[in-house]
Amino acid sequence: MNVVYRKAIPEDTPACLDLRGKTRENAFSVEELKAIGITLESWQSAIADESLPGYVGLVDGELAGYCFGDRETGEIAVLALLPACEGKGIGKALLSLMVEEFKALGFKRLFLGCSSDPKVRSHGFYRRLGWKPTGEIDAAGDEVLEYRPSQERTVDSFIPPAPGGPLQSEFEALVHDVRATLVSEVGPLLDGIYLYGSVARGTAEAGSSDLDLTLVFRDPLTAQDSATVEAVRKALEARHSEVVKIDFDIGSLAEALAPKNLYSWGYWLKHHCRCIWGNDLAPHFERFKPSRDIALAVNGDFGVVLRSYAERIDQANDSIELQRLQKEASRKLIRATNILRADEDSTWPQTLEDHAWQLLQRHPSVKPQIDFFLSHARSPTASGEAFGHRLRAFVDWMEKENATR
């Protein structure tokens, strides 16, 4: 059985309407849907204008199920699956993809309506995936459930996909200028331009977030080329106050595709980056499952990087620079704790809070330190000396723990 998941398009609507009448429970015919205001035209229009984004699952090229959500409210509007495709993880995958999209758009509350009858299949299905009763009843008489997972879930045991969906309007001009300027100034050298981080996820805050980009060049840059790229970065940063700074992560095509870099570059491009220009390398890689090998490939350099931050914090001359460095160091440290994950862990942390939760399941004694760094990842208040002391001490502890693995 070959299962493919993708974003829904208006042309999927006829098959979606047909499938809705074939579900095992809570089936609706085309006529019944029309009676409550859902028609072929209205559904197609909602997909087209992205007010009802969704995902479809195709088994051997045929529609097996779908999940759609209300982009205005964060409600999971419908999850439907053919009876023959139940119990194969397809419904779980579709729901997880929709959850990831809404989280990337910045929703803090995701909810859905579900039967309160324990005999109904959906009753246990949603609860096992982290959906909790709110005590509310919706207009259809269903119980309202909210998504409250104890930790980040995976999609069919795979790491969640890279962010998608439209960019926040306040950053559209910035991204357009960055793309156009890079193509104009160094286009012949470039293979692809990728967004990652809060702007890519749709969770950035104007005036306080960074713009993070991965640039893949056709060949390794010469010293002169590197200087040109850095000059472009500084010029862009100087003319865009929407972000605190602009970062370029740079690599070559050969480096990105090298087998030895599968767990670093391959994972990064597949699960964190969205291509905004050029050759998208993500399709070159299969989806990755959670593993400590990936954590080590991405953050195995934590000791060197974090000690470098400590030195720069010691030398910071003004409060703005000090706060920026403390935020960056705190975030790097918290994410780097993923290297201490258990080999058998099947979940994959996405947010800083997910990383903290995962670490504390195995090392509850470091909660005071983790709480400190979580706080400083958002709003730094410590002196440079106090922060540097805590940072070095925690890095020492992490290195000792990692050495015992």
Side-chain angles (χ1 to χ4, degrees):
M1 181 178 71
N2 179 37
V3 185
V4 175
Y5 302 101
R6 62 164 171 78
K7 287 292 296 289
I9 57 176
E11 290 77 9
D12 293 322
T13 308
C16 289
L17 282 168
D18 181 63
L19 188 151
R20 194 67 181 86
K22 298 177 179 179
T23 57
R24 187 184 303 274
E25 296 171 344
N26 202 30
F28 280 81
S29 67
V30 173
E31 293 73 24
E32 289 171 325
L33 289 171
K34 185 175 182 180
I36 58 175
I38 301 173
T39 65
L40 174 67
E41 293 74 20
S42 68
W43 200 338
Q44 285 179 326
S45 176
I47 296 174
D49 67 18
E50 298 185 334
S51 61
L52 191 74
Y55 287 85
V56 296
L58 307 175
V59 173
D60 299 327
E62 299 295 323
L63 184 69
Y66 55 81
C67 185
F68 287 86
D70 186 329
R71 194 171 187 271
E72 182 177 345
T73 65
E75 179 183 10
I76 303 299
V78 61
L79 173 62
L81 198 66
L82 288 174
C85 297
E86 292 176 356
K88 303 181 187 299
I90 298 173
K92 176 182 174 183
L94 289 167
L95 179 62
S96 297
L97 287 167
M98 199 67 249
V99 166
E100 287 304 315
E101 171 138 343
F102 274 178
K103 287 173 65 177
L105 291 173
F107 282 100
K108 304 302 182 185
R109 177 180 185 253
L110 303 181
F111 65 100
L112 54 80
C114 175
S115 172
S116 59
D117 184 354
K119 297 178 182 178
V120 175
R121 287 174 56 86
S122 60
H123 183 276
F125 171 82
Y126 289 117
R127 285 161 173 78
R128 286 192 298 273
L129 296 178
W131 296 82
K132 311 296 183 184
T134 63
E136 303 173 45
I137 302 296
D138 66 17
D142 289 329
E143 190 173 20
V144 177
L145 307 184
E146 284 186 357
Y147 187 56
R148 301 174 191 163
S150 58
Q151 189 184 9
E152 189 68 30
R153 306 282 171 167
T154 55
V155 181
D156 257 2
S157 78
F158 290 98
I159 295 172
L167 296 174
Q168 295 162 276
S169 59
E170 56 265 48
F171 298 102
E172 288 178 348
L174 164 64
V175 172
H176 181 272
D177 185 27
V178 169
R179 178 174 53 217
T181 301
L182 283 167
V183 172
S184 173
E185 298 294 330
V186 294
L189 305 176
L190 277 166
D191 183 74
I193 303 173
Y194 303 81
L195 278 180
Y196 72 93
S198 59
V199 175
R201 295 192 300 269
T203 60
E205 297 179 6
S208 61
S209 294
D210 300 340
L211 177 67
D212 301 306
L213 296 109
T214 293
L215 307 181
V216 177
F217 289 89
R218 295 177 181 176
D219 298 295
L221 295 181
T222 64
Q224 182 177 348
D225 292 337
S226 295
T228 299
V229 172
E230 176 60 10
V232 170
R233 188 197 67 78
K234 288 182 176 179
L236 287 165
E237 192 172 83
R239 65 177 181 254
H240 284 287
S241 60
E242 306 97 306
V243 290
V244 175
K245 66 171 185 168
I246 296 175
D247 279 332
F248 290 169
D249 289 345
I250 293 172
S252 68
L253 182 60
E255 184 180 10
L257 296 178
K260 67 177 182 179
N261 296 327
L262 178 64
Y263 288 145
S264 52
W265 273 100
Y267 156 75
W268 187 252
L269 291 168
K270 187 69 174 180
H271 292 283
H272 284 273
C273 296
R274 52 189 295 180
C275 186
I276 60 171
W277 181 87
N279 178 30
D280 186 0
L281 297 177
H284 286 261
F285 307 101
E286 298 294 330
R287 292 185 296 166
F288 289 80
K289 292 189 175 184
S291 80
R292 188 163 178 265
D293 288 335
I294 295 174
L296 288 168
V298 174
N299 285 303
D301 62 349
F302 73 93
V304 172
V305 173
L306 291 172
R307 286 195 175 88
S308 175
Y309 268 113
E311 292 176 4
R312 291 157 63 192
I313 287 169
D314 290 342
Q315 299 165 8
N317 295 319
D318 63 78
S319 60
I320 294 177
E321 177 73 359
L322 177 62
Q323 290 182 355
R324 181 181 68 80
L325 290 171
Q326 288 186 5
K327 283 183 180 180
E328 291 177 8
S330 296
R331 292 169 184 173
K332 173 66 177 180
L333 180 146
I334 293 168
R335 293 185 178 114
T337 62
N338 199 25
I339 68 168
L340 301 179
R341 63 185 288 114
D343 292 330
E344 65 273 13
D345 281 350
S346 61
T347 54
W348 192 254
Q350 296 285 295
T351 66
L352 296 179
E353 288 74 18
D354 292 337
H355 282 84
W357 185 92
Q358 176 181 265
L359 178 70
L360 295 176
Q361 301 312 297
R362 295 175 58 82
H363 302 282
S365 64
V366 299
K367 188 176 188 304
Q369 294 95 315
I370 287 298
D371 287 346
F372 171 84
F373 289 113
L374 276 173
S375 172
H376 283 69
R378 307 278 192 255
S379 302
T381 58
S383 67
E385 181 180 3
F387 186 92
H389 174 75
R390 284 177 175 260
L391 180 60
R392 290 183 174 96
F394 201 82
V395 170
D396 288 343
W397 175 82
M398 284 182 63
E399 288 179 333
K400 291 177 182 177
E401 287 296 322
N402 189 43
T404 65
R405 300 298 297 274

